[in-house]
Amino acid sequence: MKERAEQMYWVHTRGVIVALPPDATASIGKAHANGEELNHIVQRRLSIINNDGILKKRYPSAKDGVKYMNSVDMEWREILYGKANSICTQIVEQAKAIGKEDFAILLFGSVAKGLVRKQDHADPSNIDLAVIGQFTYEEREELLDRIRPIRIKAVEEIRNNVGVFVQTPDKLRHSDYGAAFMYIGSSARALYDPKGVWSSLQEEALSYQRRCKENKQNRGSKNNIPQWMEPKKHFTVFKREEAVVR
């Protein structure tokens, strides 16, 4: 068994409680232990989650989010999280079988955020995974063909979809790192990243965000940086949950 610590973060304006990735949790825990403020990288990540478009669309008001939290099932979430790890292991095997080594696998969406609906819900939560690496079109198609039986079996087990996206790093850099910020806003965490593919991309995206903010300040304009990139001064990270992944 592998122990996983996650910090729970209250998104005030949406009324939901989001599970933060383990690396963000570690940074927050370190800052708390040392009596320090959150560093600028963690602040930016929390800001992106605060302004995540999917959260805004699904929970227009805090009341909507509070109501939704009544349907959240953390026990079922742990089962789906474990299933995601199992699928990840099998994807790694298939990717290596076609000669790929430098790639990362991310878990994002409701399972990553800890906003999993109950198993018997009319619309139960699914599993969302992204494979990030330098895949050609042919390699991408071969990998998807190889993992299709794995996905079909998992779909039967959880009674909902298992989505697997295969993307290149340049795809995440496109449109001002739009896809990378989407993953960050979704509280994405790397289930597999031995070569630092995702961690490097995430750092790139957050550095880009900081440059945008600095350019805005230098030009004295209010319109040079999207609102969702603006870090906030205050965040509520109020509870740590210890979870076990089998």
Side-chain angles (χ1 to χ4, degrees):
M1 293 188 296
K2 182 179 179 181
E3 189 175 85
R4 185 184 76 250
E6 294 178 292
Q7 203 82 38
M8 307 305 287
Y9 174 53
W10 179 25
V11 183
H12 302 252
T13 54
R14 304 297 146 212
V16 294
I17 301 171
V18 173
L20 299 179
D23 58 334
T25 293
S27 295
I28 292 168
K30 181 178 179 180
H32 177 72
N34 295 333
E36 301 170 347
E37 293 186 357
L38 300 181
N39 64 50
H40 63 272
I41 292 177
V42 174
Q43 288 189 34
R44 289 194 199 105
R45 291 174 72 171
L46 294 180
S47 177
I48 293 168
I49 292 172
N50 267 343
N51 294 286
D52 178 58
I54 294 176
L55 290 183
K56 287 184 177 181
K57 182 178 180 180
R58 292 182 177 174
Y59 320 111
S61 71
K63 289 183 179 179
D64 295 311
V66 170
K67 181 179 179 181
Y68 179 84
M69 290 303 297
N70 291 326
S71 67
V72 170
D73 186 340
M74 293 302 285
E75 290 185 7
W76 179 234
R77 187 249 185 168
E78 282 305 303
I79 293 173
L80 294 184
Y81 207 116
K83 177 62 64 177
N85 270 299
S86 175
I87 296 170
C88 172
T89 299
Q90 296 175 80
I91 293 175
V92 170
E93 292 174 354
Q94 295 304 321
K96 288 185 175 182
I98 63 173
K100 306 305 292 184
E101 293 288 343
D102 297 346
F103 61 92
I105 300 178
L106 307 183
L107 173 67
F108 66 101
S110 59
V111 178
K113 288 183 284 194
L115 296 177
V116 170
R117 293 179 290 274
K118 298 179 186 297
Q119 185 178 9
D120 59 358
H121 192 278
D123 181 21
S125 297
N126 57 8
I127 294 173
D128 296 303
L129 296 168
V131 184
I132 312 298
Q134 294 292 0
F135 292 87
T136 65
Y137 175 80
E138 291 75 17
E139 289 170 338
R140 172 184 176 276
E141 292 303 302
E142 182 176 356
L143 179 60
L144 290 174
D145 285 342
R146 282 173 169 267
I147 66 175
R148 187 167 290 112
I150 300 168
R151 290 181 55 241
I152 291 173
K153 180 180 178 181
V155 166
E156 293 173 350
E157 292 173 346
I158 71 170
R159 295 187 299 163
N160 205 347
N161 189 44
V162 175
V164 180
F165 302 88
V166 181
Q167 298 175 301
T168 65
D170 284 344
K171 180 70 174 178
L172 271 65
R173 295 184 180 105
H174 186 65
S175 299
D176 298 328
Y177 292 89
F181 285 123
M182 183 277 290
Y183 287 130
I184 295 172
S186 188
S187 196
R189 66 278 316 278
L191 300 183
Y192 179 84
D193 191 20
K195 300 295 182 68
V197 173
W198 167 243
S199 60
S200 296
L201 276 168
Q202 182 173 238
E203 185 176 341
E204 272 185 44
L206 294 172
S207 295
Y208 170 81
Q209 181 199 49
R210 185 176 188 179
R211 291 196 301 273
C212 285
K213 185 174 186 294
E214 290 172 348
N215 289 339
K216 169 191 170 181
Q217 292 172 338
N218 291 337
R219 289 195 287 263
S221 170
K222 296 182 179 180
N223 299 315
N224 294 329
I225 181 170
Q227 182 182 5
W228 55 267
M229 285 188 178
E230 286 282 19
K232 307 296 181 184
K233 292 184 178 180
H234 303 289
F235 302 95
T236 301
V237 184
F238 66 94
K239 182 176 66 174
R240 173 171 290 176
E241 174 191 65
E242 298 293 336
V244 174
V245 178
R246 291 176 174 79

